[in-house]
Amino acid sequence: MPATGRSFAHEGSLRMKLIYSPTSPYARKVRIVVLEKNLSARIDLTTANPLGADAALVANANPLGKVPALVLDDETVLYDSPVICEYLDGLSDAPRLFPQDGPARWSALRRQALGDGLMDAAFSLVMEGRRPEAMRAPDWIARWETAIARGARAAEADVQRGETGFDIGAIALVAALGYIDFRLARLDWRDGNDALARWFDACGDRASVKHTAPPAGA
């Protein structure tokens, strides 16, 4: 992955390639940003399974072997999702998904961290559940489930305070809660979080959210 030494914050009409998995919540964040920023015509989508036959393809783009990865026109690669999302946000002025400064920026970044943390806990639970039952770690399972419950309560408080603009924090949270519904439906994050549930359902009406939903049965 060559280092070019140039700034690539505003690259006109150059094309890019996004390596992603349709079931990855991290990749869904990026795909929502692509649609919200009207960048679809500039990005070629390449699906890949980092845990399967496509592992070498993913590792060639991202040494950590994870998706998403964004390959720029000069073969520079960006990863992970917060970096890719902020790069894409800089390619056009509106809508700005990363506020430039002040309290709004820190709120958006904090809520993005909350959403990403929910994804981390949920993904860890999914992977642990795929291990043989005798090898699973009950303490870690309890820790991740507790993190999800606490994270949902924190998001509920954010919604109640009116922090509901569709910025990068909201996008991360939508992707995280959608992934929990997709892979861990037994964890009813809606219970006791009525405002969050109404907000999430309203976000589901956005074209970017509908179009990036994980495929049924995957």
Side-chain angles (χ1 to χ4, degrees):
M1 287 170 285
T4 63
R6 64 179 173 132
S7 171
F8 37 78
H10 297 280
E11 289 292 353
S13 61
L14 298 178
R15 293 194 63 82
M16 298 162 278
K17 178 173 70 174
L18 179 67
I19 301 173
Y20 80 102
S21 165
T23 61
S24 164
Y26 308 96
R28 189 183 187 191
K29 267 180 62 185
V30 173
R31 293 166 64 213
I32 290 174
V33 169
V34 168
L35 293 172
E36 290 288 331
K37 301 294 290 189
N38 297 313
L39 294 170
S40 297
R42 294 179 52 191
I43 298 179
D44 298 321
L45 300 178
T46 299
T47 59
N49 178 3
L51 301 178
D54 304 316
L57 169 66
V58 175
N60 187 54
N62 180 349
L64 301 177
K66 297 179 179 181
V67 292
L70 183 69
V71 184
L72 306 185
D73 71 298
D74 64 353
E75 300 302 320
T76 299
V77 183
L78 299 182
Y79 48 83
D80 54 3
S81 66
V83 175
I84 297 172
C85 288
E86 190 157 9
Y87 169 76
L88 295 175
D89 192 42
L91 295 181
S92 66
D93 290 335
R96 293 298 299 196
L97 303 176
F98 286 78
Q100 292 299 290
D101 52 34
R105 176 171 177 80
W106 300 117
S107 171
L109 293 181
R110 176 185 59 78
R111 287 179 288 111
Q112 178 182 217
L114 177 63
D116 287 354
L118 284 168
M119 292 181 214
D120 292 344
F123 183 76
S124 295
L125 272 173
V126 170
M127 292 297 101
E128 190 71 8
R130 294 178 181 178
R131 286 156 54 90
E133 186 171 358
M135 298 178 63
R136 296 173 194 168
D139 290 348
W140 280 106
I141 290 172
R143 180 183 178 89
W144 292 321
E145 290 180 350
T146 298
I148 290 172
R150 287 197 305 246
R153 288 196 296 271
E156 167 81 1
D158 284 340
V159 172
Q160 290 178 344
R161 284 193 298 268
E163 298 185 60
T164 56
F166 203 73
D167 56 15
I168 192 58
I171 291 170
L173 191 57
V174 164
L177 296 176
Y179 183 72
I180 295 169
D181 282 346
F182 176 55
R183 292 297 196 203
L184 298 166
R186 63 180 178 81
L187 300 180
D188 186 9
W189 61 263
R190 292 172 176 79
D191 184 24
N193 298 310
D194 295 343
L196 179 62
R198 290 191 298 271
W199 173 84
F200 178 78
D201 290 341
C203 289
D205 291 332
R206 298 182 76 95
S208 63
V209 176
K210 287 182 178 179
H211 186 71
T212 57

